[in-house]
Amino acid sequence: MIGKQGYFFTSESVTEGHPDKVCDIVSDSVLDAILAKDPKARVACETFVSPGMVIVGGEITTSTYVNIQQVARNAIKNIGYDKPEFGFNYKDCAIVNIINSQSPDIAQGVDTGGAGDQGLMIGFACKETPELMPLPIMLAHKLAMKLTEVRKKGILPYLGPDGKTQVTVEYVDWKPKRIEAVVLSTQHTEAILDKTGKRITEKSKKEIRAEIIDPVLGKLIDKKTKIYINPTGKFVIGGPQGDTGLTGRKIIVDTYGGMAAHGGGAFSGKDSTKVDRSACYMARHIAKNIVAAGFADKCTVQLAYAIGVAEPVSVMVDTHHSGKVPGPVLEPIVRKIFPLTPKGIMEYLKLRRPIFSKTAAYGHFGRKGKDFTWEALNKVAELKKAVNK
């Protein structure tokens, strides 16, 4: 029974074959292809997909040439849209290039080191997982990643590239206790439909649970956990064949699953002069180091910028009454320890490299690997020293 401080919280994730994620991956693949040849390029690449059609647009200023059509086709192929039965194929989809150059009015402010736009950027960290991320979104991502792994390895050969996951966690006294519900919807071939042709077989549901859900969620599932696998019955028509997709339409999936505030800006397709991306990465880096230093159980960092101005117009640290050190004490320390200008962030986090296509699916935060520089805990000792002075 839920206690006095009990509640349920739900987060979702999607696989790389989801139409919106197809667009994010294509946009970030274009960004990477350009950065590999021109690290100082200005890129704001947007992608739209519909049945049989890919439109790549936006504003790009660069000294190099990239074959946009080939980059897009390779990205779609790597996702897994390489078979006709999934209704969308990298070989024969039409790709339209409508890219322009960046506005000179914006460029004159960015050229001097200023932010590429105004806006507010949010970073968050908490002690719920080893990654210092909220538990619901981490579990949803891990399910989505497992779904893709099982598909690409051919373990369940009937799975398609499109898929969605959702996890509801029960919290008691503000701490995660158990999983209340799991939703997993996966595209599939007609091979696993029952005799009615309207639902997948119970056998396939058991296989999906055994290969994907149970290995990921383990002991967090109990007898009361509700598990829904393809609750509509069937999911043969998926991906761009079933729905249009657009870059930047999964910003909650990309960040903290709704557990934290969001400034509103999307990430994919944008080079790091755009603080929508780079400052969110830095805000996450700051919040994670603050939590890892033991100053709070959870922390939100907000950075705000004016277009063409290098330094943030405001810095906020909120420890949500969970910390030993209040936010107002940490704010001047953050300004001193962490570089917060767009140029400083790009140099410190090494953001002029072609590292972004791997961020486009399964979340930008809580990830492992040397390229996810914003996940490093390299400022913990310096923060402790500054606070204890």
Side-chain angles (χ1 to χ4, degrees), residues 14-240:
V14 296
T15 65
E16 57 205 58
H18 185 281
D20 291 332
K21 277 297 151 199
V22 171
C23 294
D24 286 343
I25 291 169
V26 169
S27 293
D28 271 336
S29 296
V30 170
L31 171 63
D32 280 353
I34 292 171
L35 290 178
K37 299 179 179 180
D38 181 10
K40 293 187 178 181
R42 305 277 170 75
V43 181
C45 180
E46 308 282 350
T47 303
F48 170 84
V49 297
S50 63
M53 173 80 67
V54 180
I55 299 175
V56 183
E59 298 78 44
I60 297 177
T61 302
T62 178
S63 60
T64 191
Y65 169 77
V66 168
N67 187 329
I68 299 293
Q69 286 210 9
Q70 193 59 52
V71 170
R73 290 192 195 281
N74 287 343
I76 294 165
K77 178 182 179 182
N78 290 337
I79 289 168
Y81 284 114
D82 55 0
K83 299 178 179 66
E85 57 259 43
F86 295 129
F88 188 75
N89 195 312
Y90 80 98
K91 292 181 180 179
D92 55 21
C93 62
I95 298 178
V96 180
N97 180 350
I98 53 171
I99 289 172
N100 296 308
S101 61
Q102 186 182 63
S103 162
D105 294 349
I106 296 174
Q108 70 179 6
V110 179
D111 290 342
T112 59
D117 201 355
Q118 71 175 49
L120 54 126
M121 294 78 205
I122 302 293
F124 182 76
C126 64
K127 287 187 174 180
E128 291 183 11
T129 63
E131 299 89 353
L132 301 184
M133 286 283 288
L135 181 62
I137 188 63
M138 288 306 299
L139 294 179
H141 283 326
K142 288 178 180 179
L143 277 177
M145 293 174 80
K146 189 68 172 179
L147 178 55
T148 297
E149 178 189 338
V150 168
R151 170 178 64 87
K152 288 189 171 182
K153 287 183 176 180
I155 296 171
L156 299 180
Y158 48 77
L159 296 179
D162 195 359
K164 301 181 77 173
T165 63
Q166 184 173 286
V167 178
T168 300
V169 174
E170 180 183 345
Y171 285 74
V172 176
D173 293 330
W174 313 110
K175 295 180 180 180
K177 180 183 179 183
R178 55 178 290 276
I179 294 176
E180 169 68 12
V182 180
V183 183
L184 189 149
S185 297
T186 177
Q187 186 183 15
H188 57 85
T189 66
E190 294 184 350
I192 59 169
L193 293 176
D194 64 15
K195 292 180 180 179
T196 70
K198 295 181 179 180
R199 306 190 68 83
I200 63 173
T201 63
E202 290 301 314
K203 176 177 179 291
S204 61
K205 286 186 179 182
K206 290 178 181 178
E207 290 173 342
I208 290 167
R209 174 165 179 174
E211 294 291 344
I212 299 163
I213 296 174
D214 290 343
V216 172
L217 301 183
K219 296 180 180 179
L220 289 171
I221 292 179
D222 58 31
K223 293 180 179 179
K224 294 182 179 180
T225 301
K226 305 175 187 70
I227 297 178
Y228 303 93
I229 298 173
N230 282 28
T232 64
K234 67 176 182 178
F235 188 179
V236 174
I237 299 173

